[in-house]
Structures are given as C-alpha cells and as structure tokens.
Amino acid sequence: MIPDWINAFAAQHPLGAVSNKESSIVKNRPFTAWSALDDVKTKADDIAHEASREFNAASQKAQEKTGKIQPGSLKYYAACTFGGMLACGLTHTAVTPLDLIKCRRQVDSKLYKSNLQAFRTIRAAEGIRGVFTGWSPTFFGYSAQGAFKYGGYEYFKVFYSDLVGQENASRFKTAIYLTASASAELIADIALCPFESVKVRGQTTIPPEITGTFSGISSVVAKEGVAGLYKGLYPLWGRQVPYTMMKFASFETIVEMIYHNLPGQKSDYNKGAQTAVAFSGGYLAGILCAAVSHPADVMVSKLNANRQAGEAFGAAMSRIYGDIGFRGLWNGLPVRIVMIGTLTGLQWMMYGLAFLCYDSFKIFMGLPTTGGSSEDKKKTN
C-alpha cells in the first residue's frame, strides 16, 4: 500500500495519485536504462536466431541440390575452387581504395604525407570513382587467383599427404601446408599476373594510363607483346609464394591453437562461432603475411610502373633498389598490414553479399572447415 501522505501530495499533481500498479513497476525496474538495454539485447538475439535459422535453411537447400560432397572428390574441389574465387575476388575488390594508396606511395613515397591525406586528395581530385581506380582488374585477377589458390591448396594438401603417407603427413603437417600452398600459388600467380600488371599501371599513373581491364591488356600486348603482361611475374612469385605459405601454414596453426585453448571440441561450436574463429585466425595470419611479403610487393609495383623497355630483370631490380634503398622496400607497410589483415580475415570468414567467405562457404556447403582437426582428435582420445 502507498502511504496516505504520498497520495495527499499526489492528488494536487495534474497526474493524480500514484497507483499501486505503477509503484510496483517502479520497484521492479528501478533503472530504466538497463531495462532498455535488455530489450535491445533480446531483440538482437531474436534477429540473430532468425538469421541463423534462415542460413541453415538455405544451407540445407544448397546441400540437397548438390548432394553429399565427399572430401577429396571432384565435387569437393569444384566447391572449394568456387569458394576461393568469390573469397579473393570480392574481398580484394572491396579494399581497392587501400590498395590504390599503397601502390602510389610505393612508387612515389613523397606523393602523399599520410594515408588519410592520400584518400582526401584522391577523393577531391578524382571523385569516388577515382578512389576505386583499378577495381575491375582487381576483381577479375584475384577471382582467378583465388580459384587456383584455394582449390589448388585443397588438392595439393591431399596429394602430398597421400604421397608421404598419413603417418608422416600427420607428423610433418606444417611442411605439408607449406608445400601445398606454394604449389598452388605458383599456378595461381600465372593467372593473376596479366591483371596485376594492368592494375598497377592504371593505379600508379595520374591520370590513369589504363582505364579498362581488357582494353588495357590489349594495349600492353600491342606495345610490348604478351611478355609485357608477365614482366612482373618473378617478383609476384617472390611476393605471393611466401605470402601464401605464411597465410595457410600460420592460419592452420593459429586456428588449432585457438581451439586447443577453448573448452570442448571444434564440433561443439556452432557455425557462427567457427566463422568468428576463422576470421580471428585469418586476421592474425594476415599481419604475418604482410610483413613477410612486403619488400617483394614494393618491387612488383616498381617494376610494373618503371621497368624500361628491353631492360633485363636483374638490371631493373638493381636500378630500383639503388634508387630506393633498403628503407624504401618498406614504403606503405602500415596500410598494407591493415589491408592484408582485413583481407585474410574476410577471405576465411566471409562469402558473397551475405558476408560469408571461404570457411563459411565450406560450412554453407556442408564441408569441414579449416583447422582444429588434429586437436579434436587429441581431445576425443
């Protein structure tokens, strides 16, 4: 009951006396801000649950259409190839503005004072379209590279494991990861190189020397022959092979370490949790990738932009190094760490417009995700 003296004062208030019902609400919910947060959390949980339900339904339909995909089958490699194509093509295209700034600062370190100043300058001078200079060759090139990289990695991982036997493959699994990723990347870069050549030429000339992907390829071939598209292949291998070896080997190891330090087995976690682990492992692996491959990345940009007609590869490398020195090999590293960390994390986590990439594509298609298997076996035994 409410004391009479409260109602006596409340009777003179335009809102009248305080009811017992209102009083109980106030007692039960003394901090309305907390209650509002609880409501928001409940709604967010409901949305997440509904999204998970829709994802599972779509996943089930996709798996019903494709049938059961057995690891090691042609259908398995085709699914991984398609997932890799989308994972690399879409994510690299999304970070084109960062790549543009990185390439321009690598070619001319005095062009911009900072990454933010670079973005503002390009935006003011060239508009939003200028910020995405090079998106088309990036999309086509990295889609092709992703297809061979991820599909090839899955194939070579099985191939080399069978070659040395399962016992040795388990004992020397890191060596298997490194060899498989290097083999896949050697092939993938042959597909990427023509598009990378066109991309760098378009991004590092102001105004852009090349504005279209396939018209740019035709222009380079007309002036320099097919060899002109591949004059950056050796440094591209020098950048991408160690990059990819670090990417796959460190990712597999980091993910296994994460699951090792989590309670239960990997199979105990739902698709969302597995995707979060994949992104975390991918981002950390991406930082290592950027550091290992950056000097070669600078050389790729320099060679595609400044290599003279008829100049030998070794002579061009020596001339460029003489101009920039050891310190110049690290131009643009901070922005590349952000770019590669984000890229690698998203490539393992996201895919298509629903932001679900390589590992989530495997989850969606009912395939086993990467990492954690050996630890699961240990926990099971």
Side-chain angles (χ1 to χ4, degrees), residues 3 25 44 60 90 133 146 150 180 218 228 256 274 284 313 335 363:
I25 292 174
Q60 187 64 35
L90 294 172
T133 298
Y150 283 87
S218 298
E256 286 183 5
Q274 289 187 28
L284 293 173
F313 173 74
V335 69
I363 292 172

Side-chain angles (χ1 to χ4, degrees), residues 77-345:
Y77 295 127
C80 293
T81 298
F82 182 68
M85 178 181 70
L86 291 173
C88 287
L90 294 172
T91 53
H92 274 274
T93 304
V95 297
T96 298
L98 289 174
D99 187 47
L100 172 66
I101 294 170
K102 178 212 70 170
C103 286
R104 287 187 177 179
R105 296 193 73 185
Q106 285 175 339
V107 171
D108 185 357
S109 60
K110 298 179 181 178
L111 186 60
Y112 307 114
K113 293 180 180 178
S114 68
N115 297 327
L116 183 59
Q117 190 254 342
F119 180 84
R120 288 173 175 170
T121 301
I122 297 170
R123 174 71 175 83
E126 305 173 44
I128 193 65
R129 186 172 182 178
V131 171
F132 281 89
T133 298
W135 75 265
S136 178
T138 295
F139 175 74
F140 287 110
Y142 283 94
S143 292
Q145 186 222 31
F148 286 106
K149 175 189 289 188
Y150 283 87
Y153 175 68
E154 296 291 345
Y155 170 78
F156 283 117
K157 193 163 62 170
V158 173
F159 175 80
Y160 289 127
S161 295
D162 291 342
L163 196 65
V164 300
Q166 289 304 315
E167 185 177 341
N168 287 328
S170 179
R171 185 185 307 171
F172 304 109
K173 60 183 178 182
T174 301
I176 295 293
Y177 298 155
L178 292 170
T179 308
S181 57
S183 301
E185 189 62 44
L186 284 170
I187 299 170
D189 287 345
I190 295 173
L192 168 65
C193 196
F195 298 98
E196 182 75 0
S197 176
V198 169
K199 176 187 78 72
V200 171
R201 292 172 195 234
Q203 288 180 329
T204 56
T205 52
I206 305 173
E209 174 188 314
I210 293 174
T211 56
T213 302
F214 296 101
S215 62
I217 290 175
S218 298
S219 176
V220 172
V221 171
K223 293 178 182 178
E224 306 174 35
V226 176
L229 296 172
Y230 287 93
K231 68 181 185 182
L233 180 60
Y234 293 150
L236 186 63
W237 274 336
R239 180 190 78 184
Q240 289 298 130
V241 171
Y243 166 92
T244 301
M245 292 170 72
M246 178 64 75
K247 175 178 180 175
F248 283 101
S250 61
F251 174 79
E252 299 260 14
T253 302
I254 290 169
V255 168
E256 286 183 5
M257 289 173 63
I258 292 174
Y259 281 117
H260 177 73
N261 288 282
L262 290 175
Q265 302 179 36
K266 175 181 174 181
S267 56
D268 296 335
Y269 294 91
N270 60 25
K271 296 174 181 179
Q274 289 187 28
T275 299
V277 169
F279 177 78
S280 301
Y283 201 99
L284 293 173
I287 294 173
L288 298 175
C289 293
V292 165
S293 62
H294 194 72
D297 185 60
V298 172
M299 278 296 179
V300 169
S301 297
K302 284 286 192 179
L303 283 168
N304 279 309
N306 298 329
R307 188 175 178 182
Q308 299 167 2
E311 187 177 24
F313 173 74
M317 291 275 285
S318 298
R319 177 179 59 80
I320 291 170
Y321 184 77
D323 291 340
I324 65 175
F326 180 78
R327 187 174 180 178
L329 292 175
W330 304 97
N331 287 339
L333 179 59
V335 69
R336 189 161 182 262
I337 285 177
V338 175
M339 185 184 84
I340 297 300
T342 305
L343 274 175
T344 309

Side-chain angles (χ1 to χ4, degrees), residues 28-46:
N28 291 335
R29 303 180 71 178
F31 302 105
T32 54
W34 289 3
S35 301
L37 288 174
D38 287 339
D39 291 342
V40 171
K41 183 177 181 299
T42 300
K43 290 179 181 178
D45 289 342
D46 291 342

Side-chain angles (χ1 to χ4, degrees), residues 265 267 373-381:
Q265 302 179 36
S267 56
S373 56
S374 63
E375 295 300 326
D376 287 351
K377 290 178 182 177
K378 290 178 184 177
K379 291 179 181 180
T380 305
N381 292 335

